Amino acid sequence: MDTLRLDRRLRESQGREMIQVLRACKAAVGLLLTLVTMTSVLSGCSSGDGGEVKLVVPSVFYVSRDPRQPVSDLRVEERVGVGTARLRVTFDAGDLKGIVTVKRALDSCVVHLPVYRCDTQAGPTGSGGVQAFHLSPAKGAKAGDSAVLRYRVTAPGLKPVSARSLIVIGKPRLRVVLHRDSGPVKPGGSLAVRLTLRNVGDVPARGVALRMEAHDGITLSDRHRNCRYRGGTSAWCRLPADDIVIPPGRSYGLAATEHLRATKDATYPTVNFSADAIGTDYVPPDEIASTYRRGDGLPLRFVPASRADAGATSAVGGDPQVLRVTVDNRSELAAVAGTVHGPLGSLATVRIGARNNGPGALTAAVKVVFTVPAGTTVVASPYSFERDEEVIDQDCRAVATDGTPLAEASARQPSARRYVCTARVGAVGATTTFPFTLRIDKDSAGGSGQVTVSDGDPGHPSGDTGPTDDTTDVVVSVWPGPAWATPGFYIAVAVGVPLLILAVALYVWRRRHSAAQTG
């Protein structure tokens, strides 16, 4: 009886253990199914990790009628995030019939009007696709005719994106006209500029993109809220069609003058102004556009201009109109030369060049003439192998007494008695020197060489009013001794002997210290 009761209890215990095992297995299976489900969901999310497709197309695209430009290139770009495998772009060009002809460019997809498609394989890092097409006016199309080109982009797991471009036959061309205050500007002073835009194209300019680039010591004082600025020298303004439309043959000018300021060291600053209709303008990529910061001042505005404002001094179609500012400033040039040291027969290096003592910067090059000291011979002059390879002029040229070059401009220059170097000492305090290696052949009393500096560009003179430092001597100091007793040798001796004495003293001290410990 006790045996039967014990057997029943054993079976009941085993049953309970089996139930616990089954429950544990059920829980594990549930957890596994949950993990699988979560993995599937996450995988589905990762397939669309880009979040959305971005379609980059022009809002308006102009097709030129100029026979010198038979086609205009339309560029369509799709941007997606990581994980999107394939894109399909559908082009609905039905409205273009009789107005524009479309042909593929390079490796773009084949065009089949009225609707055609392009498939793009996106890259693993989230790239997109680019299509390019050649557009030209259809036979019989006139300036101002227009049609709409529609786009639709689809990608697996992402919401489709649509866009459109207004295709216009003809092209606006903006002529830039500048009017500025008269008279030179004082260093640190300001000036005002009036700007006029005239449309010399055959269709209206619907929106304007204006660029201003200041150089060599001038800054843009105004900060318009509808412009973006990089530093104080670059401005990029885009006014949409809601703000300005310039019909063919009409001119619009700035509602208020644009203010500029010259820096203290400015001598020959310039400002480039260029303008295009939106749709024909250059739009920098994101990495460049992000370096510009929006202004916070009054907005830049254009108003219809008077006939007198549409002057003759102008630039057309994006070519910059350059404002050259005259500043009442000068640059004091000074010749720079070292001294040749060494015994007879030795080689010595001397540096010659020019320095700008200000107060004005100098954008033009400076001419440096080096007359080699008597009793010495040039064994090495400035030479750049890269310049020789690229056929670019060397900095220094060997010339004859009458100034005739003795070698090709990019080649290694021969030994000569006279050299002409081109130095740039733009900033105030800047110094540029060139190394020449001379052999001291004999001690010639009064045989000093010379370095003379002068303006290198007659169109941009330095205004140097102190000519006394434009020339300096290159002195040769000969001392007795063998040819190897050069300044470099004495420097090595001056440094090496103390080090040798110190090493010997340290060795002797260690020997004595070791002997004292063992004794």
Side-chain angles (χ1 to χ4, degrees):
M1 187 68 179
D2 293 335
T3 303
L4 293 174
R5 190 178 293 115
L6 181 63
D7 183 68
R8 187 169 55 249
R9 288 178 179 176
L10 180 61
R11 287 197 300 269
E12 290 174 355
S13 176
Q14 290 175 343
R16 285 194 299 269
E17 289 178 359
M18 181 62 69
I19 292 172
Q20 291 176 354
V21 169
L22 291 175
R23 287 176 177 174
C25 290
K26 183 178 179 181
V29 171
L31 178 61
L32 180 61
L33 290 174
T34 301
L35 290 174
V36 171
T37 303
M38 290 180 64
T39 303
S40 300
V41 172
L42 291 175
S43 299
C45 291
S46 65
S47 66
D49 193 32
E52 63 177 352
V53 179
K54 293 183 179 180
L55 186 58
V56 182
V57 296
S59 59
V60 58
F61 184 80
Y62 297 99
V63 180
S64 175
R65 299 170 61 240
D66 190 339
R68 295 170 298 180
Q69 184 185 350
V71 296
S72 300
D73 291 332
L74 172 65
R75 179 184 172 95
V76 178
E77 180 180 354
E78 307 86 45
R79 299 174 184 172
V80 295
V82 179
T84 302
R86 189 173 182 181
L87 300 169
R88 165 162 287 190
V89 188
T90 301
F91 296 84
D92 183 352
D95 291 348
L96 272 59
K97 185 177 181 180
I99 296 177
V100 177
T101 60
V102 184
K103 295 182 180 180
R104 69 173 179 173
L106 301 178
D107 56 352
S108 293
C109 55
V110 179
V111 176
H112 295 292
L113 299 181
V115 177
Y116 60 97
R117 296 174 178 84
C118 293
D119 291 331
T120 299
Q121 192 72 25
T125 59
S127 59
V130 176
Q131 294 83 34
F133 302 96
H134 295 317
L135 273 62
S136 56
K139 186 177 181 179
K142 304 181 297 298
D145 289 347
S146 63
V148 175
L149 175 60
R150 297 175 175 85
Y151 320 89
R152 179 179 172 84
V153 181
T154 57
L158 296 180
K159 183 179 179 180
V161 176
S162 300
R164 53 186 284 168
S165 295
L166 178 65
I167 310 298
V168 180
I169 301 299
K171 199 169 186 178
R173 300 174 66 224
L174 297 181
R175 171 177 290 163
V176 181
V177 184
L178 294 175
H179 318 269
R180 55 152 292 181
D181 289 346
S182 60
V185 181
K186 294 292 183 182
S190 61
L191 71 155
V193 178
R194 291 184 297 118
L195 175 70
T196 302
L197 303 179
R198 182 172 178 81
N199 185 0
V200 297
D202 48 9
V203 293
R206 301 183 181 278
V208 168
L210 174 67
R211 289 186 175 276
M212 296 177 279
E213 299 285 344
H215 305 276
D216 301 325
I218 202 162
T219 58
L220 309 174
S221 300
D222 298 319
R223 288 292 184 273
H224 305 289
R225 68 171 63 107
N226 54 348
C227 296
R228 294 179 178 270
Y229 296 86
R230 185 166 57 185
T233 59
S234 181
W236 171 32
C237 311
R238 293 188 100 220
L239 283 70
D242 291 342
D243 292 340
I244 180 173
V245 175
I246 307 179
R250 293 290 303 277
S251 296
Y252 275 63
L254 287 177
T257 55
E258 193 69 16
H259 297 92
L260 312 173
R261 180 171 293 278
T263 58
K264 291 289 187 180
D265 62 348
T267 50
Y268 295 102
T270 59
V271 185
N272 292 356
F273 295 86
S274 61
D276 291 282
I278 288 181
T280 65
D281 62 317
Y282 164 74
V283 178
D286 292 341
E287 57 268 23
I288 297 178
S290 62
T291 63
Y292 287 79
R293 297 291 178 265
R294 192 177 299 277
D296 54 7
L298 295 175
L300 184 79
R301 293 193 309 112
F302 283 91
V303 296
S306 65
R307 188 180 300 272
D309 284 338
T313 304
S314 60
V316 179
D319 294 332
Q321 174 71 3
V322 182
L323 174 67
R324 304 185 187 279
V325 182
T326 303
V327 181
D328 188 12
N329 211 353
R330 62 180 180 81
S331 303
E332 181 66 34
L333 302 179
V336 176
T339 300
V340 181
H341 297 281
L344 293 177
S346 66
L347 301 180
T349 298
V350 62
R351 301 193 71 94
I352 63 95
R355 182 175 61 252
N356 181 4
N357 289 334
L362 186 60
T363 58
V366 174
K367 180 180 178 181
V368 181
V369 178
F370 174 36
T371 303
V372 179
T376 66
T377 301
V378 175
V379 298
S381 60
Y383 171 75
S384 168
F385 172 78
E386 290 77 11
R387 285 176 172 264
D388 201 349
E389 283 287 300
E390 298 295 330
V391 195
I392 301 174
D393 291 2
Q394 298 291 337
D395 287 330
C396 297
R397 302 284 308 277
V399 297
T401 306
D402 60 358
T404 304
L406 299 179
E408 294 294 331
S410 63
R412 188 186 297 275
Q413 301 298 299
S415 180
R417 305 308 305 169
R418 194 163 177 251
Y419 292 83
V420 177
C421 302
T422 301
R424 294 197 173 274
V425 287
V428 176
T431 301
T432 298
T433 59
F434 306 99
F436 285 82
T437 301
L438 309 180
R439 184 181 66 242
I440 304 175
D441 297 324
K442 59 181 179 179
D443 190 353
S444 299
S448 298
Q450 276 190 339
V451 176
T452 302
V453 297
S454 59
D455 293 332
D457 182 1
H460 297 82
S462 62
D464 192 340
T465 57
T468 55
D469 57 358
D470 292 353
T471 299
T472 188
D473 292 336
V474 181
V475 179
V476 179
S477 176
V478 180
W479 57 55
W484 45 263
T486 61
F489 168 77
Y490 286 112
I491 292 174
V493 169
V495 174
V497 170
L499 291 177
L500 180 61
I501 294 173
L502 179 61
V504 171
L506 182 61
Y507 174 76
V508 172
W509 178 82
R510 291 186 64 181
R511 288 292 300 270
R512 290 179 177 177
H513 183 70
S514 177
Q517 287 182 339
T518 56

